[in-house]
Amino acid sequence: MRPLQHVLGIAEISREQIEYLLQLGQPFVDLSRRPVKKAPTLRGKTVINLFFENSTRTRTSFELAGKRLSADVINISASTSATKKGESLLDTGHTLAAMQPDVLVIRDSRAGACHFLADFLENTAVVNAGDGAHEHPTQILTDLLTLKQAWGDIEGRTITIVGDIAHSRVARSHLLAAAKMGYKVRLVAPKTLLPVRIERFGCKVFNDFDAAIPGSDALYMLRVQSERLQSACFFPSIREYHEAYGLNMQRLDAAGNHTVVLHPGPMNRGVEIASDVADGARSRILDQVENGVAVRMAVLTALCGGQAEPKKRARKKEQAMAAQKAQRKLL
Ligand code: NCD
């Protein structure tokens, strides 16, 4: 298997690497349940979490993951970083890299921010903790570990993703993962919240939630990403949205007893999901949270133990510098 250099997106990692990370993640669930939740695996390593967007689950789980593995963990958020004083992302990246971290975890509202930094940072592995509406690879690894625990095998299963597909990095990364891992994805949303020609990813698309329910092994509910909506006209009202696209007990019963419920969080109860479903027996939402720590422990372990490829990185850096120079000449 090719060693992991960065975790930028599901697009960049292979099925083999995904399976390896899931396998590595499972024992970390057990470690986190022990009274002493500590392993020396990353002693002497440094992890910087750079979060330019709000986060509870992802940020806390990366922090806990690093700490439980004995790494030194630093957290930087938008409100406390020098970007508030006008520093560019590249300068922030170079500055942090000069402090020799082993891993830089980044969440940014700009799609591709992590790819951009990965091109410039020579000795630091970069992890994408969510880049705009583009990708969220560690959330998908978290979901796959949760579904593996529920089903054993994911291949051939059907996951129905419901809600704001257009602005969801989770939905996008799942579509990429489904093609690699052999599971099926159905997408359910009003037309205003669906990207055009999304069927080309090989998924079935529904505007009617009830029509998509039979045969779904998992119902994956998404929050309406109001922070990314340019106007308030994507659906008539919250009440109507809940009627048409909210998961209630009646809909869950129509799916069948075997169907599990997922949500990446944060949930808006009464909008995309009813409280009795969120807290019910078929909900795996808190398992997702627990597994999120384990999967991130697996990612950090794989990146710190992986073989760096200095020559390749140096070549990439030269290319990026040349591109930057050429761009400067044009301006
Ligand atoms: C998701 C995200 O940030 O993309 N949440 C998460 O990482 N736990 C989904 C969301 O914000 O609704």
Side-chain angles (χ1 to χ4, degrees), residues 53-55 57-58 107 129 136 139 169-170 222-223 225 227-228 263-266 296:
E53 261 191 2
N54 296 343
S55 175
R57 274 148 285 265
T58 310
R107 169 171 283 198
H136 194 355
Q139 179 64 49
R169 49 195 173 206
V170 173
L222 294 175
R223 183 178 64 88
Q225 312 272 303
E227 70 277 25
R228 294 192 196 115
H263 194 305
R296 283 153 187 137

Side-chain angles (χ1 to χ4, degrees), residues 8-26:
L8 301 177
I10 295 293
E12 284 86 9
I13 54 180
S14 64
R15 176 178 177 140
E16 219 185 347
Q17 288 171 324
I18 293 173
E19 274 165 1
Y20 169 69
L21 289 170
L22 298 180
Q23 209 181 344
L24 201 58
Q26 184 55 50

Side-chain angles (χ1 to χ4, degrees), residues 30-215:
D30 306 328
L31 185 141
S32 294
R33 287 181 181 181
R34 289 205 314 235
V36 179
K37 307 163 199 319
K38 203 84 171 170
T41 322
L42 298 188
R43 203 163 42 202
K45 303 284 182 187
T46 308
V47 177
I48 299 184
N49 294 323
L50 183 57
F51 275 66
F52 291 125
E53 261 191 2
N54 296 343
S55 175
T56 302
R57 274 148 285 265
T58 310
R59 210 196 70 125
T60 312
S61 58
F62 269 112
E63 182 173 355
L64 281 177
K67 287 183 171 166
R68 285 184 184 168
L69 293 169
S70 309
D72 296 310
V73 182
I74 308 295
N75 297 305
I76 306 171
S77 63
S79 55
T80 54
S81 80
T83 49
K84 281 270 174 211
K85 298 181 182 174
E87 187 174 68
S88 71
L89 178 64
L90 184 56
D91 282 333
T92 304
H94 277 315
T95 302
L96 295 175
M99 298 178 197
Q100 308 298 333
D102 298 280
V103 183
L104 180 66
V105 178
I106 173 167
R107 169 171 283 198
D108 197 288
S109 57
R110 291 162 289 191
C114 48
H115 297 75
F116 174 75
L117 278 185
D119 275 346
F120 288 96
L121 307 186
E122 228 171 304
N123 298 312
T124 308
V126 178
V127 180
N128 183 3
D131 61 329
H134 181 223
E135 275 230 48
H136 194 355
T138 59
Q139 179 64 49
I140 275 52
L141 295 170
T142 297
D143 301 340
L144 296 184
L145 182 58
T146 308
L147 292 173
K148 235 170 118 63
Q149 290 162 354
W151 300 333
D153 198 4
I154 303 163
E155 204 160 351
R157 298 282 188 160
T158 299
I159 305 181
T160 299
I161 306 179
V162 189
D164 183 2
I165 310 292
H167 304 94
S168 173
R169 49 195 173 206
V170 173
R172 205 170 304 271
S173 290
H174 260 298
L175 286 172
L176 296 167
K180 292 187 184 190
M181 307 304 289
Y183 60 95
K184 295 177 202 124
V185 170
R186 294 179 186 170
L187 299 178
V188 182
K191 283 188 180 144
T192 48
L193 292 175
L194 274 170
V196 280
R197 295 185 51 241
I198 190 77
E199 316 71 50
R200 70 187 190 280
F201 280 95
C203 52
K204 277 197 181 161
V205 178
F206 298 77
N207 300 124
D208 176 358
F209 188 6
D210 295 300
I213 287 176

